C-alpha cells in the first residue's frame, strides 16, 4: 500500500540556506593552514589528502508506524583509508548534509592519526529527526540504511560507531543487520555496541574520559587547580553529560549546562547527575530547579575556567570569540570552532584543546573494542582506561610540543602532527598503479 509517499528534500539541498561557511570548506581551510608547515611533501600527495576517497549517497524508503512510506537520504563518506580501515560514527539529524559528513570524515582521519591508532577516517549520516520518530521507525531506518551502505562497510574496510543521536542500541541493530546479510555474526563491523554483544567496558564514557584526561593535562600545563575551577558545558548528550560528571569528580564546579532546547546556570554549581536525571525525565535540562535559564549563545559567554562545547559545529565564531571568558576550551564536539575564532582565541591566550585531540577518546576506545572483538578476548575497565590515558597523554604532549616549535595554535599543531603521519604513510605505500 504505497498511497502516501513522502519525498525527502532534494539531495543537493545541503549547501542551500546555510548562513555560515560549510563545515567541509572550514575543514579544508584548516588543512591548508597546516600544510604550509609540511611543504617537503609533493603537492600531489597533499592534494590527495584534501578530498575524500569515496562518497556514497543512498535514498531509501522506510515504512512509518501509520503505514506511510517515507523516503530518507543518507551518506557514508570515507575520507582516507591509507593508515587503516575507515572509522567514524553515524549521525541522525535533520541538518545532516553531504558537506557536513565530508568534513566529519576528514576530521576522523586526522583524529585517528593524532592518537596514532591504525585507522583512516570515515563518517555517516541520515537526514532525519529521530526525536519525532518512534523506536520502531528508528530501527527500520537504521536497518535499511545499514543494508544500503553495507557495500562499503565491514570489519576490515570501514567500521561505524555512534555519533549525534545514535547509541549502543543503534549499533546493535547495525551489527545484527550486517550479520544477517552476510550470514554470520560480525561483532567487529561496528563499535560502541552494548556490552552483551561484544562492546567494550569504558566505551560509553570514553569520549568524555578522553576529554577529562586532556583537560587535566592542560590544567597542569597552565598551573590551574581543578578543585578551584568552574566549567560550562554546551550539549548534554553522551559527551557533554558524562564530561560534566567526570569533571565534577575532579572537583570542578559545573556552573552551566545546556541542550538543544536551552541552558541552565547557577554560579554556585549544579549537580550533573541530578541534571541528567531531570533531562531523562522531562526531555531537557531546561526547567531544572535552582538555576537560571540562559540561551545557548549566552551560555558560551559565561565566565568560567573551562568551556566544553559538546554539541554541534560552528558554535565559536568571529562573532562571539572576543567575548569568550574561559581559560581552557575542551572541544568534545566535532568542529565547534571556526578558523577565525581560533585566531582570536589564540591571540587572547585562551588554551584550546582541539576536537581531533580532545574528543579522540571515543574512537580510541572504539579501537580497543575492535581489537577485543577480533581477538574474542576482553579487558577489564581499569585496563581500558589505563591504555586510554596513555594514548591521550602522549598525543597531548606531542601536539603541545609542535605548537611551541612552530609557534602556532594547538589546532594547527594537531593538524601538522596528523597530516605528517598520513602523508608519510601515503608516500610509503606509493600511488597505485
Ligand atoms: N563519533 C565519534 C567521533 O566523532 C566516535 C567515532 C568512532 O568511535 O569511530 O569521534
Amino acid at each position: 500500500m504505497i498511497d502516501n509517499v513522502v519525498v525527502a528534500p532534494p539531495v543537493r539541498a545541503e549547501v542551500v540556506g546555510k548562513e555560515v561557511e560549510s563545515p567541509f570548506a572550514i575543514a579544508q581551510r584548516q588543512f591548508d593552514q597546516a600544510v604550509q608547515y609540511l611543504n617537503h611533501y609533493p603537492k600531489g600527495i597533499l592534494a590527495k589528502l584534501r578530498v575524500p576517497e569515496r562518497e556514497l549517497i543512498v535514498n531509501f524508503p522506510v515504512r512509518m508506524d501509520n503505514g506511510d512510506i517515507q523516503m530518507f537520504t543518507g551518506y557514508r563518506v570515507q575520507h582516507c583509508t591509507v593508515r587503516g580501515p575507515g572509522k567514524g560514527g553515524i549521525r541522525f539529524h535533520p541538518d545532516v548534509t553531504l558537506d557536513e559528513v565530508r568534513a566529519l570524515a576528514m576530521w576522523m582521519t586526522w583524529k585517528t592519526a593524532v592518537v596514532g591508532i591504525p585507522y583512516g577516517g570515515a563518517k555517516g549520516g541520515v537526514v532525519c529527526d529521530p526525536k519525532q520518530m518512534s523506536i520502531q521507525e528508528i530501527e527500520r531506518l537504521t536497518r535499511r540504511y545499514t543494508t544500503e551502505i553495507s557495500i562499503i562497510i565491514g570489519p576490515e574496510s570501514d567500521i561505524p560507531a555512534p555519533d549525534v543521536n545514535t547509541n549502543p542500541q543503534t549499533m546493535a541493530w547495525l551489527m545484527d543487520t550486517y550479520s544477517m546479510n552476510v550470514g554470520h555474526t560480525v561483532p567487529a563491523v561496528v563499535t560502541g555496541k552494548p556490552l552483551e554483544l561484544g562492546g567494550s567496558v569504558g566505551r560509553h564514557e570514553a569520549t568524555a574520559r578522553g576529554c577529562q584526561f586532556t583537560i587535566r593535562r592542560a590544567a597542569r600545563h597552565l598551573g590551574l587547580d581543578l578543585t578551584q575551577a568552574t566549567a560550562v558545558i554546551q550539549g548534554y548528550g553522551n559527551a557533554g553529560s558524562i564530561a560534566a560528571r567526570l569533571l565534577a569528580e575532579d572537583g570542578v564546579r559545573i556552573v552551566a549546562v545546556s541542550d538543544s532546547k536551552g541552558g541552565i546556570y547557577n554560579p554556585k554549581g549544579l549537580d550533573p547527575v541530578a541534571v541528567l536525571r531531570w533531562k531523562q525525565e522531562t526531555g531537557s535540562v531546561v526547567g531544572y530547579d535552582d538555576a537560571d535559564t540562559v540561551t545557548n549563545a549566552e551560555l558560551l559567554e559565561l565566565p568560567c575556567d573551562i568551556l566544553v562545547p559538546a554539541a554541534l559545529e560552528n558554535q565559536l565564531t568571529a562573532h562571539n570569540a572576543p567575548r569568550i571568558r574561559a581559560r581552557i576550551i575542551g572541544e568534545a564536539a566535532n568542529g565547534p570552532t571556526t578558523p577565525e575564532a581560533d585566531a582570536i582565541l589564540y591571540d587572547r591566550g585562551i588554551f584550546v584543546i582541539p576536537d581531533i585531540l580532545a574528543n579522540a577518546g571515543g574512537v580510541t576506545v572504539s579501537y580497543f573494542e575492535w581489537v577485543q572483538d577480533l581477538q574474542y578476548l576482553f579487558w577489564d575497565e581499569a585496563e581500558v582506561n589505563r591504555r586510554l590515558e596513555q594514548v591521550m597523554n602522549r598525543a597531548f604532549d606531542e601536539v603541545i610540543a609542535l605548537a611551541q616549535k612552530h609557534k602556532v595554535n594547538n589546532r594547527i599543531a594537531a593538524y601538522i602532527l596528523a597530516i605528517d603521519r598520513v602523508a608519510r604513510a601515503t608516500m610509503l605505500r606509493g600511488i597505485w598503479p
Side-chain angles (χ1 to χ4, degrees):
M1 266 216 326
I2 309 177
D3 51 5
N4 212 344
V5 178
V6 185
V7 179
V11 167
R12 286 214 55 81
E14 71 262 7
V15 276
V16 183
K18 285 234 164 183
E19 285 168 29
V20 288
E21 189 182 13
S22 84
F24 188 58
I26 287 177
Q28 287 190 321
R29 270 207 294 143
Q30 292 166 333
F31 176 86
D32 294 342
Q33 283 182 317
V35 296
Q36 292 170 23
Y37 300 88
L38 295 165
N39 51 21
H40 51 287
Y41 287 110
K43 276 199 170 56
I45 294 289
L46 298 174
K48 182 214 172 288
L49 302 180
R50 199 173 181 271
V51 290
E53 285 174 8
R54 187 181 274 164
E55 306 181 339
L56 179 62
I57 302 174
V58 293
N59 296 299
F60 58 93
V62 175
R63 191 179 302 280
M64 308 308 277
D65 290 344
N66 67 2
D68 288 354
I69 310 274
Q70 190 169 327
M71 287 301 292
F72 288 89
T73 298
Y75 310 99
R76 184 75 187 171
V77 173
Q78 296 168 353
H79 170 261
C80 181
T81 54
V82 171
R83 295 181 60 259
K87 185 83 191 83
I90 289 171
R91 169 175 298 203
F92 289 171
H93 196 280
D95 296 338
V96 162
T97 62
L98 176 57
D99 183 272
E100 179 193 46
V101 178
R102 274 182 190 137
L104 291 162
M106 190 191 223
W107 288 328
M108 287 308 303
T109 301
W110 312 139
K111 197 183 298 187
T112 54
V114 163
V115 288
I117 56 177
Y119 285 139
K123 201 81 175 196
V126 178
V127 189
C128 65
D129 189 354
K131 290 178 183 154
Q132 305 298 324
M133 296 168 71
S134 72
I135 300 283
Q136 293 74 22
E137 288 169 341
I138 294 172
E139 176 176 354
R140 290 193 290 272
L141 177 135
T142 304
R143 288 186 182 279
R144 181 63 190 245
Y145 168 69
T146 301
T147 301
E148 296 292 337
I149 65 165
S150 66
I151 53 173
I152 62 167
I153 65 168
E156 289 162 344
S157 52
D158 182 357
I159 304 125
D163 197 73
V164 173
N165 293 332
T166 55
N167 56 35
Q169 175 64 76
T170 329
M171 299 306 114
W173 291 325
L174 194 156
M175 188 276 256
D176 183 70
T177 305
Y178 184 87
S179 299
M180 290 297 129
N181 286 343
V182 297
H184 57 95
T185 298
V186 187
V189 68
V190 65
T191 60
K193 295 180 295 295
L195 294 181
E196 294 83 347
L197 298 174
S200 175
V201 285
R203 175 62 187 85
H204 186 62
E205 298 81 12
T207 305
R209 199 174 287 284
C211 200
Q212 174 194 32
F213 290 146
T214 59
I215 288 171
R216 278 186 192 165
R217 204 95 173 154
R220 213 179 69 174
H221 179 75
L222 300 173
L224 173 71
D225 176 1
L226 287 180
T227 64
Q228 304 299 315
T230 56
V232 167
I233 319 268
Q234 186 201 37
Y236 221 61
N238 172 266
S241 68
I242 301 177
R245 172 165 64 78
L246 295 177
L247 288 175
E249 284 172 15
D250 278 349
V252 177
R253 184 153 40 99
I254 310 300
V255 293
V257 304
S258 70
D259 57 30
S260 58
K261 302 199 175 76
I264 53 172
Y265 175 47
N266 183 345
K268 293 204 203 76
L270 299 160
D271 173 355
V273 179
V275 173
L276 182 61
R277 219 175 301 126
W278 174 261
K279 181 178 162 85
Q280 282 163 349
E281 281 162 18
T282 66
S284 173
V285 299
V286 178
Y288 179 76
D289 227 18
D290 197 24
D292 295 332
T293 303
V294 289
T295 65
N296 261 296
E298 289 163 348
L299 174 122
L300 295 172
E301 298 176 19
L302 291 171
C304 63
D305 296 299
I306 303 159
L307 174 62
V308 180
L312 296 170
E313 300 92 64
N314 289 330
Q315 299 303 303
L316 304 176
T317 62
H319 174 70
N320 60 7
R323 294 191 300 275
I324 301 299
R325 287 186 273 176
R327 290 180 66 188
I328 296 173
I329 298 177
E331 296 184 341
N334 290 310
T337 309
T338 65
E340 288 72 22
D342 264 332
I344 296 167
L345 296 170
Y346 185 60
D347 281 347
R348 296 187 53 219
I350 296 173
F351 191 91
V352 176
I353 314 169
D355 50 3
I356 57 172
L357 171 64
N359 73 34
V363 74
T364 300
V365 178
S366 275
Y367 166 57
F368 297 160
E369 177 176 333
W370 181 74
V371 166
Q372 293 170 82
D373 287 341
L374 292 174
Q375 297 181 131
Y376 295 92
L377 179 67
F378 289 85
W379 311 342
D380 63 22
E381 195 165 353
E383 171 88 5
V384 168
N385 289 343
R386 183 184 62 75
R387 286 177 184 265
L388 173 63
E389 185 164 15
Q390 221 171 36
V391 168
M392 297 306 297
N393 285 348
R394 190 186 52 217
F396 182 95
D397 292 348
E398 285 174 332
V399 168
I400 301 312
L402 276 177
Q404 285 166 348
K405 177 176 165 199
H406 292 293
K407 298 190 175 37
V408 292
N409 69 42
N410 294 336
R411 188 179 324 276
I412 298 178
Y415 267 70
I416 296 171
L417 179 64
I419 297 167
D420 193 23
R421 284 180 177 158
V422 183
R424 218 163 345 142
T426 309
M427 297 282 283
L428 285 166
R429 284 183 67 155
I431 299 300
W432 192 90

